[in-house]
Amino acid sequence: MNRILLLEDDPSLITGLSFALEKQGFATDVARTLREADGLWADGKYELLLLDVSLPDGSGFSFCRKVRSVSRVPVIFLTASDEETSVIMGLDIGGDDYITKPFKLGVLMSRIHALLRRAKDFRASDTELSSNGIRLLLLQGQALKNGEPLELTAAEYRLLRLFMQNPNVVLSKEQILQKLWDCEEHFIDSGALTVYVRRLRMKVEDDPGNPGFLLTVRRMGYKWNVTK
């Protein structure tokens, strides 16, 4: 049974989400504060995290930063704000998705299932990709640059794999979004994709300010430029 950590302080929302998740077959642990979440969290214990942004003792963003230092577990932020700065911050620190309150439970469940399905697919793969000094060990779900591990979020890993599977091919934003986040709800937009690409460049490029691998092709999309 998939286990989910829900970090949320709204009693009514906790009740509704816990019931809905259990009905979908998920085991749910609930934390109402960052302190409680710290006590529950352990790498490998959860398949997905649902994190409220505003909490009595801080922000879900800070908990995500802590998790990302040791884990690539999928993270969805629950936020009362859809302001661009808040969204970008959540994605920038390693979140895989966000949903703005109030939301429909069906939409949230679609996003949860989509992230879990992607994570399962990556773990099941038994191939290896290599170019530009970067290796993807897909069986292990691991990325290496010049032999050193790359700390990638689940979304960054998916994106890098897609590019490396299509070397020297220009992929439009629409193609990327369709391949990586295709489900009943198109919940990732081109603005979020731009954030993912920028974040990925910071980790894979020798000089992120002058990228040589992950190129932007104006008015067309992005290309993984194989140089070695």
Side-chain angles (χ1 to χ4, degrees), residues 51-54 59-62 64-65 75-101 191-192 195-196 198-199:
L51 307 181
D52 188 16
V53 171
S54 299
S59 167
F61 290 155
S62 62
C64 182
R65 290 189 184 95
V75 172
I76 298 178
F77 284 113
L78 308 177
T79 173
S81 172
D82 61 354
E83 294 181 358
E84 184 179 6
T85 53
S86 179
V87 171
I88 289 176
M89 180 181 296
L91 297 176
D92 237 5
I93 63 176
D96 296 287
D97 189 21
Y98 69 93
I99 188 166
T100 304
K101 302 175 184 177
V195 174
Y196 284 127
R198 175 167 59 84
R199 239 173 36 193

Side-chain angles (χ1 to χ4, degrees), residues 125-130 134-140 164:
S125 178
D126 60 357
T127 60
E128 178 178 327
L129 299 172
S130 179
I134 295 173
R135 294 174 63 207
L136 287 188
L137 307 178
L138 300 180
L139 182 62
Q140 297 89 343
M164 292 182 67

Side-chain angles (χ1 to χ4, degrees), residues 4-202:
I4 290 177
L5 174 61
L6 171 62
L7 176 54
E8 172 62 57
D9 67 325
D10 184 330
S12 61
L13 190 54
I14 290 172
T15 300
L17 283 177
S18 297
F19 177 78
L21 289 167
E22 290 175 8
K23 193 173 180 180
Q24 289 285 319
F26 297 110
T28 307
D29 289 342
V30 177
R32 294 167 177 80
T33 64
L34 292 177
R35 184 175 181 178
E36 289 182 6
D38 287 338
L40 289 171
W41 162 255
D43 187 23
K45 183 178 179 180
Y46 298 102
E47 278 67 46
L48 185 138
L49 309 183
L50 288 173
L51 307 181
D52 188 16
V53 171
S54 299
L55 297 160
D57 56 346
S59 167
F61 290 155
S62 62
F63 185 71
C64 182
R65 290 189 184 95
K66 177 180 179 179
V67 168
R68 279 291 170 259
S69 68
V70 296
S71 174
R72 289 176 47 247
V73 61
V75 172
I76 298 178
F77 284 113
L78 308 177
T79 173
S81 172
D82 61 354
E83 294 181 358
E84 184 179 6
T85 53
S86 179
V87 171
I88 289 176
M89 180 181 296
L91 297 176
D92 237 5
I93 63 176
D96 296 287
D97 189 21
Y98 69 93
I99 188 166
T100 304
K101 302 175 184 177
F103 52 81
K104 295 181 179 179
L105 284 174
V107 174
L108 176 61
M109 293 305 163
S110 292
R111 301 187 183 193
I112 289 173
H113 285 299
L115 283 176
L116 291 176
R117 184 176 65 249
R118 301 302 180 189
K120 182 179 179 181
D121 289 344
F122 297 144
R123 290 193 296 267
S125 178
D126 60 357
T127 60
E128 178 178 327
L129 299 172
S130 179
S131 60
N132 296 333
I134 295 173
R135 294 174 63 207
L136 287 188
L137 307 178
L138 300 180
L139 182 62
Q140 297 89 343
Q142 187 177 16
L144 306 173
K145 179 179 179 181
N146 299 325
E148 296 296 323
L150 282 173
E151 298 298 329
L152 302 178
T153 67
E156 292 165 354
Y157 184 87
R158 290 197 298 267
L159 189 58
L160 180 58
R161 186 176 87 158
L162 177 62
F163 282 127
M164 292 182 67
Q165 286 175 326
N166 297 274
N168 298 318
V169 175
V170 177
L171 299 175
S172 69
K173 290 185 177 182
E174 292 75 17
Q175 287 176 309
I176 296 170
L177 296 175
Q178 183 179 23
K179 287 181 179 294
L180 295 187
W181 292 282
D182 57 325
C183 64
E184 295 178 1
E185 301 289 337
H186 298 288
F187 52 91
I188 298 292
D189 58 22
S190 60
L193 177 60
T194 300
V195 174
Y196 284 127
V197 170
R198 175 167 59 84
R199 239 173 36 193
L200 184 58
R201 280 188 177 131
M202 295 296 295

